[in-house]
């Protein structure tokens, strides 16, 4: 869909904001809305529509008004008729109606050819429909707009001929119509001239290569104004586009072939089109080369978006001289060097140069013209070490992003007088205190000052704050300032990793939109205030490492959208509330570690359908381990609710340059948590959503390990250590084949190590020490690979890797055999522990790295190939062992 269409549609929706959905339906079914005289529509037109409906699934009932017994098809949903007579259907608009083409019968019926007065046919994304013989289209000689996005024309070899014979067609949208699969049987005879009247042409997402420019030629004429070729595989544009003297807008986003910028600009400027050309968008494509002086020819250019390409070299100084240019987005390229002083001449309102290895912006003190500038984004360019003072000259600046720009300085006091809507100074080395900002920031501001060295108290802030990130600084003092943010717009608040102290004030009534509350790693204390129950949109509550105490307030159960709750490393006490399991049903992570909770583990926790991470370690819990933990389906079954640990929030309103409409943009917050992993505390971030772990360690739990736990087939980490557990290790523990880390040390477990444990081929960390276990350690590629200390403090255990021999074992028989067997390098390596040690060492070294740095797909791809490798090694091992024992 073209942006203009989108905007018009949005405006339309805006106008309708106050009308109800019902009214909207009536309007869209608009026969009456247009003041049409309600005569009966023509039978053959009505039949054609019914024929079409018969080929569709209509799960939402969008076409429920299309009934054979209803004579007047002009009253049907999506149908408009001639406003004079009401007999003829003139508009058919069924886009986005939720219709699903029946994959078998979903052809557009040739009966559509009976809709002879049709001016507009809009059937975008009507499921998997297709057109096989497009001849019926040629009867629609009044057609002005044809939008059939998502309908396959792969078999419609004659479509171009038919389209070219529609004399009035001005608006043609064929996005996603599989045009690359069409056999084009045309001679070149008619390709030399074009009498097409098309003004708007969209051919997005058709997998087209540049050979399509042959057949596109006759569709283009000097009437063409908008051309959208996005999401194809085009490697440039033909010169003839440069000769289209009305061309205003070209979208070339998301093309996957490499194109050189100078060649592209050359072709586009070869004729007359550069005189009219206003809007060029080439985002997320494969453009290389430099932004050359060619650009100066485009004197009408208003909007230029070349973001996310591989454009390199320096930016042509001519760019800044284009007199009408309002928006320049060159972000995410490889542009280098310094920027020409000519930038001071630019009249742009919006400049985005972020994520380029640019070396400095030569702004000087006598910049007059740039005061037009409203938004500038220089993220990850190099501006420092001094704070860029020229910014203060930009009197109309409302949006500034100079994050990660190597600034190591203080902020000049005058800077804070600017009326920012969005201010991002994060990831620099900026120090100093911040003045009272309550009256000097703009409208609904979003502020990110994280990862700097700001100190002193947090200043007064405006009441209309949208998001605030002050994390990883040296702020001190209390957080009473929160009570001044009263306009209820705050969605995001991160004050973590500072030196804040004092209590969380009981004034949270206003934060009805708050999604993320992160106060971790401070020195806050006292009880959680009851008004926390007003945070009904809260998804993340992270209070890790503070001094909060007392029982959890009952009102917290109001926060039913919580999915990440980390209250670890505090002094909370009381029972683990039963309402957590009854009310906070969205939780995927429940982390209460290192507190003073007492009582038993409430059974209600087992009812949390999405729980993946349960950590109640280091508390004073007693009683037995609930066997119902096997009810945690998210841990028992494969799959993830993805990504549960990523929380998008609206961080600012940007101006949509074309029409100056504001639109919200989103950022995301990614959960992180300290988890005990293979004997160490580690911070999990991006991959937290992949973790499935249960940690009940360091409590006073008693009784047996319930055998039901072994049904948690997808568990990756289990820690039951430092409790008072009795009885045997469940025989079927080996069913938890994915376990990477298992710690049941320091209990009073007895009996043997179950043979099934030899199936746990991924185990990278095992600790069963300090129990009363006895008997032989089962042989497997894994169990012998651990250090003897993993088994220490069990006087009855014997066999490798312990030096204690089991009763009746001959002295190192197997080892000596192996030693004699020449050519069995592999086996010796295995048995002595080399290979298995490698397996383990590999997991300790890389497993965690992997979990921290790779995405889910990469991880599981790896997991699979690793598993194959291990199986292969095991098979070799067993075969050789058999051979040796026969010797
Ligand atoms: C009109 O519809 C009739 C059937 O109702 C069909 O036979 C005829 O081919 C259609 N005419 C056109 C031009 O498609
Ligand atoms: C089209 O142009 C080609 C060469 O440019 C020429 O060979 C062909 O005859 C032309 N066709 C017509 C119909 O003019
Ligand atoms: C796109 O075209 C290429 C050949 O040009 C073909 O190999 C590929 O399968 C096509 N992809 C789709 C999604 O049609
Ligand atoms: C980019 O183009 C490909 C086809 O070439 C399409 O599958 C994909 O959805 C497009 N991406 C976007 C963001 O439009
Ligand atoms: C830009 O990149 C191309 C290849 O991608 C390379 O040949 C060229 O030298 C680079 N130009 C500059 C100025 O770095
Ligand atoms: C800055 O904004 C003010 C108020 O909107 C306006 O009057 C002034 O012309 C603007 N300055 C420039 C240079 O655009
Ligand atoms: C729960 O939220 C509602 C508003 O949705 C509020 O009226 C009520 O007082 C809250 N309950 C508690 C216990 O905070
Ligand atoms: C666990 O699941 C079983 C069977 O689905 C059910 O009978 C039992 O009530 C559940 N226990 C809890 C505590 O939810
Ligand atoms: C653990 O529980 C037992 C009895 O239930 C009690 O005697 C013992 O003091 C408790 N230990 C701790 C550390 O709370």
């Amino acid at each position: 869909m073209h942006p203009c269409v989108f905007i018009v549609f949005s405006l339309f929706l805006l106008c309708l904001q106050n009308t109800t959905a019902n009214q909207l339906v009536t309007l869209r079914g608009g026969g009456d809305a247009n003041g049409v005289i309600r005569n009966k529509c023509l039978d053959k037109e009505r039949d054609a529509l019914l024929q079409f409906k018969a080929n569709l699934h209509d799960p939402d009932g969008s076409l429920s008004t299309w009934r054979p017994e209803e004579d007047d098809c002009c009253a049907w949903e999506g149908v408009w008729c001639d406003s004079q007579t009401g007999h003829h259907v003139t508009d058919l608009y069924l886009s986005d109606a939720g219709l699903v083409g029946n994959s078998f019968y979903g052809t557009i019926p040739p009966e559509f050819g009976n809709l002879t007065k049709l001016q507009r046919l809009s059937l975008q994304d009507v499921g998997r429909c297709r057109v096989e013989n497009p001849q019926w289209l040629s009867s629609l000689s009044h057609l002005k707009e044809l939008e059939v996005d998502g309908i396959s024309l792969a078999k419609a070899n004659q479509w171009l001929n038919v389209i070219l014979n529609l004399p009035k067609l001005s608006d043609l949208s064929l996005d996603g119509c599989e045009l690359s699969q069409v056999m084009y049987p045309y001679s070149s005879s008619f390709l030399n001239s074009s009498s097409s009247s098309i003004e708007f042409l969209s051919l997005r997402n058709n997998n087209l290569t540049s050979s399509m420019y042959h057949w596109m030629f006759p569709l283009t004429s000097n009437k063409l104004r908008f051309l959208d070729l996005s999401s194809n595989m085009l490697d440039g544009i033909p010169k003839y586009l440069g000769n289209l003297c009305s061309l205003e807008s070209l979208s070339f986003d998301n093309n996957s072939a490499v194109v050189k910028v100078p060649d592209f600009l050359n072709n586009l400027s070869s004729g007359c089109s550069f005189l009219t050309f206003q809007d060029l968008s080439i985002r997320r494509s494969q453009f290389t080369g430099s932004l050359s002086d060619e650009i100066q020819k485009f004197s009408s250019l208003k909007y230029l978006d070349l973001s996310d390409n591989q454009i390199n070299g320096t930016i042509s100084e001519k760019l800044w001289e284009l007199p009408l240019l309002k928006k320049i987005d060159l972000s995410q390229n490889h542009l280098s060097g310094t920027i020409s002083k000519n930038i001071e001449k630019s009249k742009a309102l919006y400049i985005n140069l972020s994520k380029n290895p640019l070396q400095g912006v030569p702004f000087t003190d006598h910049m007059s013209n740039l005061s037009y500038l409203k938004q500038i984004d220089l993220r990850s360019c190099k501006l420092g070490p001094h704070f860029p003072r020229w910014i203060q000259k930009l009197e109309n600046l409302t949006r500034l992003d100079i994050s990660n720009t190597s600034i190591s300085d203080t902020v000049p006091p005058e800077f804070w007088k600017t009326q920012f809507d969005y201010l991002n100074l994060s990831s620099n080395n900026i120090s100093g205190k911040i003045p009272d900002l309550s009256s000097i920031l703009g409208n609904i501001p979003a502020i990110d000052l994280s990862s700097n060295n700001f100190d002193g108290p947090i200043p007064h802030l405006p009441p209309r704050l949208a998001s605030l990130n002050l994390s990883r600084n040296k702020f001190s003092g209390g957080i009473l300032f929160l009570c001044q943010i009263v306009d209820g717009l705050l969605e995001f608040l991160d004050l973590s990793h500072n030196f804040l102290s004092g209590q969380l004030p009981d004034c949270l009534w206003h934060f009805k939109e708050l999604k993320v509350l992160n106060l971790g790693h401070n020195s806050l204390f006292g009880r959680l205030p009851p008004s926390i129950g007003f945070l009904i949109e809260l998804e993340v509550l992270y209070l890790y490492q503070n001094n909060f105490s007392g029982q959890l307030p009952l009102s917290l159960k109001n926060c039913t959208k919580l999915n990440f709750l980390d209250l670890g490393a505090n002094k909370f006490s009381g029972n683990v509330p039963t309402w957590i399991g009854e009310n906070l049903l969205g939780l995927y992570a429940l982390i209460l570690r290192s507190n003073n909770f007492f009582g038993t583990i409430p059974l209600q926790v087992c009812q949390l359908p999405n729980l993946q991470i349960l950590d109640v370690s280091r508390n004073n819990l007693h009683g037995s381990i609930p066997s119902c933990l096997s009810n945690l389906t998210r841990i028992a079954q494969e799959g993830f609710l993805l990504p549960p640990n990523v929380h998008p929030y609206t961080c600012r309103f940007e101006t949509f340059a074309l029409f100056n409409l504001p639109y919200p943009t989103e950022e995301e917050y990614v959960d992180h948590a300290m988890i005990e992993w293979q004997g160490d505390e580690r911070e999990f971030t991006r991959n937290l959503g992949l973790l499935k772990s249960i940690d009940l360690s360091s409590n006073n739990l008693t009784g047996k390990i319930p055998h039901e736990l072994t049904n948690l087939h997808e568990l990756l980490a289990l820690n039951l250590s430092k409790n008072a557990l009795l009885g045997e290790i469940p025989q079927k523990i080996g069913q938890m084949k994915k376990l990477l880390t298992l710690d049941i040390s320091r209990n009073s477990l007895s009996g043997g190590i179950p043979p099934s444990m030899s199936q746990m081929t991924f185990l990278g960390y095992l600790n069963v020490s300090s129990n009363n276990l006895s008997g032989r350690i089962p042989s497997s590629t894994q169990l012998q690979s651990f250090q003897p200390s993993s088994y220490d403090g069990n006087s009855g255990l014997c066999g490798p890797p312990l030096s204690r021999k089991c009763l009746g074992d001959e002295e190192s028989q197997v080892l000596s055999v192996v030693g004699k067997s020449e050519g069995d390098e592999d086996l010796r390596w295995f048995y002595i522990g080399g290979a298995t040690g490698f397996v383990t060492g590999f997991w300790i070294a890389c497993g965690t790295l992997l979990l921290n740095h790779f995405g889910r797909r990469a991880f599981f791809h790896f997991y699979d190939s690793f598993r194959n490798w291990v199986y292969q090694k095991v098979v070799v091992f067993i075969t050789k062992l058999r051979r040796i024992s026969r010797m």
Side-chain angles (χ1 to χ4, degrees):
M1 193 195 278
H2 190 270
C4 293
V5 180
F6 173 73
I7 290 297
V8 170
F9 182 67
S10 309
L11 285 174
F12 175 69
L13 281 185
L14 270 178
C15 299
L16 288 177
Q17 216 167 29
N18 295 324
T19 58
T20 65
N22 270 343
Q23 284 168 297
L24 185 59
V25 168
T26 325
L27 269 176
R28 286 186 53 204
D32 30 354
N34 281 355
V36 169
I37 302 159
R38 300 291 295 282
N39 286 331
K40 188 173 164 308
C41 75
L42 297 176
D43 279 349
K44 58 179 182 173
E45 301 201 356
R46 202 181 61 114
D47 291 348
L49 293 175
L50 287 174
Q51 185 71 42
F52 174 60
K53 183 189 175 181
N55 290 345
L56 292 168
H57 280 308
D58 181 13
D60 299 343
S62 306
L63 299 189
S64 57
T65 51
W66 291 33
R67 287 191 308 262
E69 60 272 23
E70 169 67 73
D71 274 349
D72 186 11
C73 68
C74 300
W76 291 358
E77 171 76 12
V79 182
W80 279 260
C81 291
D82 186 310
S83 61
Q84 310 295 301
T85 64
H87 293 308
H88 286 286
V89 175
T90 57
D91 288 43
L92 187 56
Y93 182 90
L94 292 177
S95 298
D96 312 315
L99 301 171
V100 184
N102 183 321
S103 57
F104 226 73
Y105 303 100
T107 49
I108 310 270
E111 284 79 3
F112 262 31
N114 279 317
L115 304 170
T116 49
K117 292 282 166 59
L118 205 60
Q119 295 178 11
R120 178 185 194 203
L121 179 57
S122 185
L123 297 175
Q124 288 159 314
D125 302 313
V126 188
R128 296 170 56 184
C129 276
R130 60 178 187 272
V131 171
E132 283 184 353
N133 183 349
Q135 279 310 329
W136 54 268
L137 261 175
S138 51
S139 319
L140 311 184
S141 57
H142 293 267
L143 208 57
K144 289 182 187 155
E145 289 174 39
L146 179 62
E147 298 166 341
V148 287
D149 301 352
I151 292 180
S152 173
L153 299 182
K155 299 252 171 67
N157 293 345
Q158 295 295 326
W159 75 267
L160 187 56
N161 272 339
V162 173
I163 296 276
L164 285 171
N165 286 314
L166 296 173
K168 296 190 174 158
L169 195 66
S170 72
D171 193 335
L172 178 61
S173 184
L174 302 175
D175 300 351
C177 292
E178 303 185 332
L179 295 181
S180 67
Q181 298 178 28
V182 178
M183 306 285 288
Y184 292 97
Y186 310 109
S187 67
S188 61
S189 59
F190 66 98
L191 292 182
N192 294 355
S193 65
S194 170
S195 58
S196 160
S197 57
I198 294 176
E199 292 178 35
F200 170 72
L201 177 60
S202 185
L203 302 171
R204 299 171 70 105
N205 200 10
N206 276 297
N207 199 20
L208 295 167
T209 57
S210 290
S211 61
M212 74 86 127
Y213 289 126
H214 289 295
W215 58 253
M216 192 182 84
F217 177 75
L219 292 170
T220 62
S221 72
N222 275 330
K223 299 228 170 87
L224 193 68
R225 294 166 58 212
F226 301 94
L227 178 60
D228 192 341
L229 301 175
S230 302
S231 298
N232 284 296
M233 305 202 307
L234 301 168
D235 62 1
I237 50 165
K239 279 203 163 144
Y240 69 72
L241 283 189
N243 293 325
L244 304 177
C245 301
S246 301
L247 196 61
E248 290 170 22
S249 169
L250 173 60
S251 295
F252 204 84
D253 301 340
N254 188 27
N255 269 292
S256 51
V258 175
V259 186
K260 290 207 172 102
V261 181
D263 298 348
F264 190 89
L265 294 182
N266 256 325
N267 282 358
L268 197 56
S269 62
S270 60
C272 53
S273 65
F274 63 87
L275 292 170
T276 49
F277 204 73
Q278 296 181 16
D279 184 0
L280 177 61
S281 179
I282 307 180
R283 299 156 62 205
R284 284 193 303 269
S285 286
Q286 304 285 323
F287 275 60
T288 61
S290 62
L291 184 52
S292 50
D293 289 352
E294 282 298 326
I295 196 74
Q296 68 183 317
K297 283 195 184 171
F298 296 88
S299 54
S300 303
L301 203 59
K302 289 186 180 161
Y303 314 104
L304 177 65
D305 189 342
L306 304 178
S307 59
D308 205 350
N309 284 286
Q310 278 118 43
I311 304 174
N312 61 2
T314 54
I315 302 171
S316 163
E317 60 178 20
K318 308 289 185 196
L319 175 68
W320 311 113
E321 294 171 7
L322 291 173
L324 302 177
L325 204 54
K326 293 280 176 283
K327 172 180 172 170
I328 305 171
D329 191 342
L330 303 178
S331 60
Q332 297 194 61
N333 279 293
H334 303 316
L335 296 165
S336 57
T338 52
I339 297 170
S340 157
K341 270 186 189 303
N342 275 1
I343 193 172
E344 292 176 21
K345 297 184 187 161
S346 171
K347 300 215 168 59
L349 302 176
Y350 176 96
I351 297 179
N352 191 343
L353 302 177
S354 63
K355 300 188 186 166
N356 280 294
L358 286 165
Q359 294 289 320
V361 185
F363 293 104
T364 54
D365 287 347
H366 44 80
M367 286 192 312
S368 43
N369 284 343
L370 255 186
S371 51
Y372 291 100
L373 200 61
K374 288 193 168 151
Q375 311 187 356
I376 189 165
D377 188 339
L378 300 171
R379 179 187 299 212
S380 303
C381 300
K382 189 175 178 312
L383 299 182
H386 297 300
F387 194 90
R389 286 170 189 262
W390 49 266
I391 288 172
Q392 290 143 237
K393 310 274 178 188
L394 311 179
E395 57 180 61
N396 283 358
L397 198 66
T398 58
R399 177 195 145 82
L400 174 68
D401 188 342
I402 49 172
S403 59
N404 191 24
T405 50
S406 314
I407 299 171
S408 187
D409 199 354
T410 55
V411 181
E414 312 86 69
F415 171 81
W416 298 111
K417 298 193 176 118
T418 319
Q419 297 276 312
F420 290 113
D421 285 340
Y422 177 76
L423 175 61
N424 192 341
L425 306 181
S426 66
S427 303
N428 283 297
N429 193 12
I430 306 175
S431 53
K433 299 188 172 36
I434 298 176
D436 184 337
L437 298 180
S438 57
S439 56
I440 56 182
L441 287 165
N443 197 23
I444 325 183
I447 304 170
D448 188 346
L449 307 180
S450 62
S451 300
N452 278 295
N453 277 316
F454 289 111
D455 61 10
I458 296 177
H460 291 317
L461 290 163
R464 291 177 73 74
L465 214 50
S467 78
L468 178 65
N469 190 347
L470 302 179
S471 65
R472 295 178 196 270
N473 279 289
K474 294 176 177 157
F475 288 109
S476 55
I479 53 174
L480 272 174
F481 77 95
L482 287 180
C483 298
Q484 291 154 354
I485 305 172
V486 294
D487 278 7
L489 301 170
L490 196 67
E491 277 191 45
F492 178 86
L493 179 64
D494 189 347
L495 306 178
S496 63
H497 292 276
N498 279 293
F499 303 124
L500 300 170
S501 57
Q503 307 203 16
L504 181 57
D506 193 13
C507 62
L508 306 178
W509 312 286
H510 303 294
F511 297 122
K512 291 201 171 67
E513 300 290 333
L514 196 63
K515 285 186 175 169
V516 176
L517 177 57
N518 185 343
L519 303 175
H521 303 272
N522 280 295
S523 303
L524 300 166
F525 56 81
R527 288 169 175 256
L528 292 189
S531 60
I532 204 161
F534 286 86
L535 309 184
I536 50 177
E537 292 293 327
L538 199 64
E539 293 170 9
V540 178
L541 181 58
Y542 184 86
L543 303 179
Y544 191 84
Q545 210 153 71
N546 278 286
N547 288 317
F548 288 113
S549 59
Q551 300 190 11
L552 300 184
L554 185 63
S555 61
L556 190 58
K557 75 175 184 186
N558 237 8
C559 307
T560 52
K561 295 217 173 140
L562 268 179
N563 59 25
F564 180 85
L565 180 60
D566 190 341
L567 307 178
N570 278 288
K571 294 178 177 149
F572 287 111
S573 56
N575 289 309
V576 177
T578 54
W579 47 257
I580 288 186
E582 287 161 349
N583 293 68
L584 308 184
L585 295 177
L587 285 182
Y588 82 90
L590 174 60
I591 300 173
L592 305 177
R593 62 181 313 184
S594 295
N595 277 290
N596 300 324
F597 286 107
F598 51 78
T600 58
I601 299 175
L603 302 184
Q604 286 81 353
V605 165
C606 306
Q607 299 166 9
L608 292 169
N610 297 323
L611 201 67
Q612 283 178 211
I613 300 167
L614 173 63
D615 186 347
V616 296
S617 63
R618 304 186 198 200
N619 280 288
N620 299 321
L621 301 173
H622 67 263
S624 54
I625 298 175
S627 59
C628 69
L629 285 181
S630 62
N631 283 19
L632 292 171
T633 46
R634 190 68 61 190
I635 302 183
Q637 293 168 7
E638 243 180 305
F640 296 88
L641 200 67
L642 266 181
N645 56 327
V646 177
H647 307 270
Y649 63 93
T650 308
C651 71
R652 57 186 184 255
F653 293 86
E654 270 184 69
T655 306
F656 187 74
L658 206 53
F659 291 90
N660 258 333
L661 289 177
Y663 71 98
T665 59
E666 289 202 326
E667 272 186 13
E668 59 184 38
Y669 170 83
V670 181
D671 293 328
H672 47 96
M674 298 300 291
I675 301 280
E676 191 164 317
W677 181 254
Q678 307 201 330
D680 288 320
E681 274 204 351
R682 283 165 203 266
E683 184 163 48
F684 280 69
T685 54
R686 280 260 161 209
N687 285 308
L688 189 65
L690 301 179
L691 192 61
K692 297 189 172 184
S693 98
I694 293 181
D695 190 345
L696 312 179
S697 63
S698 301
N699 280 290
N700 197 9
L701 299 173
T702 50
K704 289 183 165 186
I705 300 176
H707 66 87
E708 291 89 343
L709 273 197
T710 63
N711 292 331
L712 297 173
H713 295 295
E714 298 285 314
L715 196 64
L716 297 179
L718 178 62
N719 191 345
L720 304 176
S721 67
K722 300 179 196 142
N723 279 295
L725 299 171
L726 292 166
E728 300 194 347
I729 302 173
Q731 285 305 308
K732 291 186 178 166
I733 191 164
Q735 288 184 17
M736 295 195 275
K737 286 207 177 86
K738 299 225 169 135
L739 267 191
L740 298 171
T741 157
L742 174 62
D743 191 346
I744 48 176
S745 64
R746 302 215 211 169
N747 281 290
S748 304
L749 298 168
S750 54
I753 294 183
S756 73
M757 277 184 72
S758 54
Q759 299 165 17
M760 302 167 93
T761 35
F762 287 109
L763 211 51
Y765 177 88
L766 173 72
N767 193 348
V768 300
S769 64
S770 303
N771 281 291
N772 297 323
L773 299 171
S774 57
R776 181 192 295 276
I777 298 172
S779 306
S780 79
T781 52
Q782 286 303 94
L783 295 178
Q784 274 66 42
S785 72
F786 299 109
Q787 294 299 318
S789 59
S790 299
Y791 301 95
D792 270 358
N794 292 285
S795 51
L797 280 182
C798 60
L802 299 177
S803 50
R804 191 183 312 117
K805 282 174 226 92
C806 298
L807 215 58
D809 268 5
E810 293 299 319
E811 184 175 327
S812 299
Q813 194 185 34
V814 181
L815 262 181
S816 60
V817 172
V818 172
K820 277 183 224 150
S821 144
E822 283 199 38
D824 273 329
E825 283 287 316
D826 209 15
L827 175 60
R828 195 182 325 152
W829 197 49
F830 245 102
Y831 198 72
I832 294 170
T836 49
F838 167 72
V839 174
T840 315
F842 185 83
W843 268 107
I844 292 172
C846 305
T848 41
L849 267 182
L850 204 70
L851 278 177
N852 276 319
H853 293 289
F854 288 83
R856 170 170 174 262
R857 194 176 303 171
F859 173 69
F860 284 102
H861 185 69
F862 177 84
Y863 203 86
D864 277 347
S865 47
F866 186 71
R867 185 166 51 195
N868 290 340
W869 183 83
V870 169
Y871 279 155
Q872 217 178 333
K873 290 290 179 192
V874 170
V875 169
V876 170
F877 175 68
I878 291 170
T879 339
K880 291 190 176 177
L881 196 65
R882 283 203 186 121
R883 207 168 65 216
I884 288 165
S885 56
R886 282 199 303 268
M887 274 164 34

